mmCIF file of all heavy atoms in Angstrom:
data_model
loop_
_atom_site.group_PDB
_atom_site.id
_atom_site.type_symbol
_atom_site.label_atom_id
_atom_site.label_comp_id
_atom_site.label_asym_id
_atom_site.label_seq_id
_atom_site.Cartn_x
_atom_site.Cartn_y
_atom_site.Cartn_z
ATOM 1 N N VAL Y 121 -29.325 61.759 0.384
ATOM 2 C CA VAL Y 121 -28.579 60.570 0.474
ATOM 3 C C VAL Y 121 -28.526 59.898 -0.899
ATOM 4 O O VAL Y 121 -29.503 59.454 -1.463
ATOM 5 C CB VAL Y 121 -29.216 59.587 1.511
ATOM 6 C CG1 VAL Y 121 -28.295 58.285 1.630
ATOM 7 C CG2 VAL Y 121 -29.320 60.233 2.885
ATOM 8 N N LEU Y 122 -27.321 59.893 -1.493
ATOM 9 C CA LEU Y 122 -27.113 59.248 -2.795
ATOM 10 C C LEU Y 122 -26.854 57.772 -2.569
ATOM 11 O O LEU Y 122 -25.880 57.286 -2.019
ATOM 12 C CB LEU Y 122 -25.941 59.800 -3.522
ATOM 13 C CG LEU Y 122 -25.643 59.213 -4.891
ATOM 14 C CD1 LEU Y 122 -26.821 59.423 -5.871
ATOM 15 C CD2 LEU Y 122 -24.346 59.757 -5.430
ATOM 16 N N LEU Y 123 -27.858 56.956 -2.985
ATOM 17 C CA LEU Y 123 -27.832 55.472 -2.832
ATOM 18 C C LEU Y 123 -27.275 54.890 -4.162
ATOM 19 O O LEU Y 123 -28.082 54.534 -5.093
ATOM 20 C CB LEU Y 123 -29.273 54.978 -2.537
ATOM 21 C CG LEU Y 123 -29.760 55.468 -1.231
ATOM 22 C CD1 LEU Y 123 -31.383 55.468 -1.164
ATOM 23 C CD2 LEU Y 123 -29.227 54.746 0.056
ATOM 24 N N LEU Y 124 -25.982 54.747 -4.271
ATOM 25 C CA LEU Y 124 -25.304 54.504 -5.529
ATOM 26 C C LEU Y 124 -24.775 53.092 -5.557
ATOM 27 O O LEU Y 124 -23.882 52.716 -4.630
ATOM 28 C CB LEU Y 124 -24.187 55.508 -5.694
ATOM 29 C CG LEU Y 124 -23.408 55.436 -6.990
ATOM 30 C CD1 LEU Y 124 -24.302 55.926 -8.174
ATOM 31 C CD2 LEU Y 124 -22.176 56.321 -6.957
ATOM 32 N N ASN Y 125 -25.144 52.289 -6.514
ATOM 33 C CA ASN Y 125 -24.429 51.035 -6.730
ATOM 34 C C ASN Y 125 -23.271 51.253 -7.740
ATOM 35 O O ASN Y 125 -23.321 52.152 -8.548
ATOM 36 C CB ASN Y 125 -25.387 49.998 -7.328
ATOM 37 C CG ASN Y 125 -26.368 49.417 -6.350
ATOM 38 O OD1 ASN Y 125 -25.963 49.031 -5.272
ATOM 39 N ND2 ASN Y 125 -27.607 49.272 -6.690
ATOM 40 N N THR Y 126 -22.203 50.472 -7.520
ATOM 41 C CA THR Y 126 -21.070 50.603 -8.475
ATOM 42 C C THR Y 126 -21.386 49.970 -9.797
ATOM 43 O O THR Y 126 -20.745 50.375 -10.785
ATOM 44 C CB THR Y 126 -19.808 49.997 -7.786
ATOM 45 O OG1 THR Y 126 -20.058 48.590 -7.525
ATOM 46 C CG2 THR Y 126 -19.358 50.697 -6.574
ATOM 47 N N ALA Y 127 -22.285 49.039 -9.852
ATOM 48 C CA ALA Y 127 -22.818 48.477 -11.120
ATOM 49 C C ALA Y 127 -24.301 48.934 -11.105
ATOM 50 O O ALA Y 127 -24.971 48.933 -10.133
ATOM 51 C CB ALA Y 127 -22.663 47.064 -11.236
ATOM 52 N N PHE Y 128 -24.814 49.264 -12.348
ATOM 53 C CA PHE Y 128 -26.148 49.795 -12.360
ATOM 54 C C PHE Y 128 -27.164 48.792 -12.990
ATOM 55 O O PHE Y 128 -28.364 49.085 -13.046
ATOM 56 C CB PHE Y 128 -26.200 51.041 -13.276
ATOM 57 C CG PHE Y 128 -25.447 52.273 -12.773
ATOM 58 C CD1 PHE Y 128 -24.035 52.278 -12.758
ATOM 59 C CD2 PHE Y 128 -26.074 53.336 -12.141
ATOM 60 C CE1 PHE Y 128 -23.317 53.388 -12.231
ATOM 61 C CE2 PHE Y 128 -25.448 54.349 -11.677
ATOM 62 C CZ PHE Y 128 -24.028 54.424 -11.760
ATOM 63 N N SER Y 129 -26.749 47.580 -13.240
ATOM 64 C CA SER Y 129 -27.661 46.589 -13.711
ATOM 65 C C SER Y 129 -27.124 45.131 -13.319
ATOM 66 O O SER Y 129 -26.030 45.019 -12.989
ATOM 67 C CB SER Y 129 -27.824 46.679 -15.311
ATOM 68 O OG SER Y 129 -26.562 46.423 -15.871
ATOM 69 N N VAL Y 130 -27.980 44.231 -13.451
ATOM 70 C CA VAL Y 130 -27.669 42.802 -13.173
ATOM 71 C C VAL Y 130 -28.607 41.851 -13.972
ATOM 72 O O VAL Y 130 -29.783 42.246 -14.212
ATOM 73 C CB VAL Y 130 -27.748 42.643 -11.655
ATOM 74 C CG1 VAL Y 130 -29.241 42.619 -11.193
ATOM 75 C CG2 VAL Y 130 -27.158 41.209 -11.253
ATOM 76 N N ARG Y 131 -28.089 40.744 -14.393
ATOM 77 C CA ARG Y 131 -29.021 39.784 -14.955
ATOM 78 C C ARG Y 131 -29.853 39.056 -13.910
ATOM 79 O O ARG Y 131 -29.360 38.832 -12.772
ATOM 80 C CB ARG Y 131 -28.195 38.667 -15.745
ATOM 81 C CG ARG Y 131 -29.061 37.664 -16.447
ATOM 82 C CD ARG Y 131 -28.295 36.464 -17.038
ATOM 83 N NE ARG Y 131 -27.224 36.874 -17.945
ATOM 84 C CZ ARG Y 131 -26.480 36.020 -18.639
ATOM 85 N NH1 ARG Y 131 -26.582 34.754 -18.284
ATOM 86 N NH2 ARG Y 131 -25.588 36.469 -19.545
ATOM 87 N N ALA Y 132 -31.060 38.787 -14.230
ATOM 88 C CA ALA Y 132 -31.988 38.162 -13.265
ATOM 89 C C ALA Y 132 -31.359 36.920 -12.663
ATOM 90 O O ALA Y 132 -30.810 36.003 -13.403
ATOM 91 C CB ALA Y 132 -33.329 37.779 -13.933
ATOM 92 N N ASP Y 133 -31.450 36.866 -11.311
ATOM 93 C CA ASP Y 133 -30.971 35.645 -10.580
ATOM 94 C C ASP Y 133 -29.456 35.337 -10.751
ATOM 95 O O ASP Y 133 -29.040 34.179 -10.450
ATOM 96 C CB ASP Y 133 -31.775 34.452 -10.967
ATOM 97 C CG ASP Y 133 -33.264 34.605 -10.710
ATOM 98 O OD1 ASP Y 133 -33.632 35.263 -9.674
ATOM 99 O OD2 ASP Y 133 -34.109 34.250 -11.589
ATOM 100 N N CYS Y 134 -28.695 36.342 -11.207
ATOM 101 C CA CYS Y 134 -27.199 36.170 -11.346
ATOM 102 C C CYS Y 134 -26.494 37.294 -10.627
ATOM 103 O O CYS Y 134 -26.079 38.267 -11.383
ATOM 104 C CB CYS Y 134 -26.844 36.082 -12.806
ATOM 105 S SG CYS Y 134 -27.519 34.671 -13.681
ATOM 106 N N ALA Y 135 -26.362 37.225 -9.344
ATOM 107 C CA ALA Y 135 -25.654 38.343 -8.627
ATOM 108 C C ALA Y 135 -24.234 38.603 -9.160
ATOM 109 O O ALA Y 135 -23.508 37.663 -9.476
ATOM 110 C CB ALA Y 135 -25.565 37.888 -7.175
ATOM 111 N N GLY Y 136 -23.952 39.852 -9.375
ATOM 112 C CA GLY Y 136 -22.671 40.263 -9.820
ATOM 113 C C GLY Y 136 -22.376 40.043 -11.305
ATOM 114 O O GLY Y 136 -21.260 40.288 -11.788
ATOM 115 N N SER Y 137 -23.387 39.651 -12.041
ATOM 116 C CA SER Y 137 -23.193 39.248 -13.459
ATOM 117 C C SER Y 137 -22.782 40.455 -14.373
ATOM 118 O O SER Y 137 -22.163 40.213 -15.457
ATOM 119 C CB SER Y 137 -24.450 38.707 -14.037
ATOM 120 O OG SER Y 137 -25.610 39.460 -13.783
ATOM 121 N N HIS Y 138 -23.072 41.639 -13.990
ATOM 122 C CA HIS Y 138 -22.656 42.895 -14.800
ATOM 123 C C HIS Y 138 -21.590 43.621 -14.149
ATOM 124 O O HIS Y 138 -21.186 44.705 -14.659
ATOM 125 C CB HIS Y 138 -23.913 43.755 -15.066
ATOM 126 C CG HIS Y 138 -24.901 43.108 -15.929
ATOM 127 N ND1 HIS Y 138 -26.050 43.828 -16.360
ATOM 128 C CD2 HIS Y 138 -25.071 41.865 -16.485
ATOM 129 C CE1 HIS Y 138 -26.864 43.003 -16.996
ATOM 130 N NE2 HIS Y 138 -26.168 41.851 -17.162
ATOM 131 N N GLY Y 139 -21.101 43.124 -13.061
ATOM 132 C CA GLY Y 139 -20.158 43.965 -12.188
ATOM 133 C C GLY Y 139 -18.758 44.172 -12.811
ATOM 134 O O GLY Y 139 -18.068 45.143 -12.463
ATOM 135 N N LYS Y 140 -18.331 43.370 -13.713
ATOM 136 C CA LYS Y 140 -17.008 43.471 -14.317
ATOM 137 C C LYS Y 140 -17.008 43.892 -15.829
ATOM 138 O O LYS Y 140 -16.077 43.721 -16.543
ATOM 139 C CB LYS Y 140 -16.210 42.204 -14.121
ATOM 140 C CG LYS Y 140 -15.989 41.847 -12.653
ATOM 141 C CD LYS Y 140 -15.147 40.578 -12.566
ATOM 142 C CE LYS Y 140 -14.926 40.236 -11.105
ATOM 143 N NZ LYS Y 140 -14.131 38.977 -10.909
ATOM 144 N N GLN Y 141 -18.132 44.494 -16.233
ATOM 145 C CA GLN Y 141 -18.314 44.778 -17.664
ATOM 146 C C GLN Y 141 -18.023 46.242 -17.990
ATOM 147 O O GLN Y 141 -18.092 46.618 -19.157
ATOM 148 C CB GLN Y 141 -19.784 44.450 -18.073
ATOM 149 C CG GLN Y 141 -20.157 42.970 -17.930
ATOM 150 C CD GLN Y 141 -19.294 42.176 -18.752
ATOM 151 O OE1 GLN Y 141 -18.858 42.413 -19.893
ATOM 152 N NE2 GLN Y 141 -19.025 40.915 -18.248
ATOM 153 N N GLY Y 142 -17.692 47.042 -16.988
ATOM 154 C CA GLY Y 142 -17.348 48.471 -17.291
ATOM 155 C C GLY Y 142 -18.166 49.521 -16.588
ATOM 156 O O GLY Y 142 -17.873 50.754 -16.714
ATOM 157 N N TRP Y 143 -19.121 49.046 -15.823
ATOM 158 C CA TRP Y 143 -19.982 50.132 -15.043
ATOM 159 C C TRP Y 143 -19.173 50.876 -14.138
ATOM 160 O O TRP Y 143 -19.468 51.996 -13.826
ATOM 161 C CB TRP Y 143 -21.093 49.377 -14.277
ATOM 162 C CG TRP Y 143 -22.338 49.033 -15.000
ATOM 163 C CD1 TRP Y 143 -22.978 47.778 -15.088
ATOM 164 C CD2 TRP Y 143 -23.254 49.964 -15.617
ATOM 165 N NE1 TRP Y 143 -24.108 47.913 -15.799
ATOM 166 C CE2 TRP Y 143 -24.339 49.219 -16.122
ATOM 167 C CE3 TRP Y 143 -23.216 51.352 -15.836
ATOM 168 C CZ2 TRP Y 143 -25.401 49.865 -16.771
ATOM 169 C CZ3 TRP Y 143 -24.361 51.937 -16.558
ATOM 170 C CH2 TRP Y 143 -25.349 51.160 -16.961
ATOM 171 N N ASP Y 144 -18.024 50.260 -13.599
ATOM 172 C CA ASP Y 144 -17.219 50.943 -12.678
ATOM 173 C C ASP Y 144 -16.509 52.218 -13.169
ATOM 174 O O ASP Y 144 -16.221 53.153 -12.464
ATOM 175 C CB ASP Y 144 -16.082 49.999 -12.050
ATOM 176 C CG ASP Y 144 -15.223 49.445 -13.192
ATOM 177 O OD1 ASP Y 144 -15.770 48.845 -14.130
ATOM 178 O OD2 ASP Y 144 -14.001 49.645 -13.091
ATOM 179 N N LEU Y 145 -16.376 52.318 -14.446
ATOM 180 C CA LEU Y 145 -15.883 53.568 -15.071
ATOM 181 C C LEU Y 145 -16.788 54.690 -14.795
ATOM 182 O O LEU Y 145 -16.402 55.811 -14.455
ATOM 183 C CB LEU Y 145 -15.731 53.422 -16.613
ATOM 184 C CG LEU Y 145 -14.350 52.893 -17.116
ATOM 185 C CD1 LEU Y 145 -14.180 51.429 -16.747
ATOM 186 C CD2 LEU Y 145 -14.245 53.186 -18.625
#
Side-chain angles (χ1 to χ4, degrees):
V121 181
L122 180 62
L123 298 157
L124 184 70
N125 282 316
T126 56
F128 292 77
S129 64
V130 67
R131 185 191 296 182
D133 302 320
C134 293
S137 51
H138 294 183
K140 296 182 179 179
Q141 299 298 325
W143 275 125
D144 57 304
L145 269 71

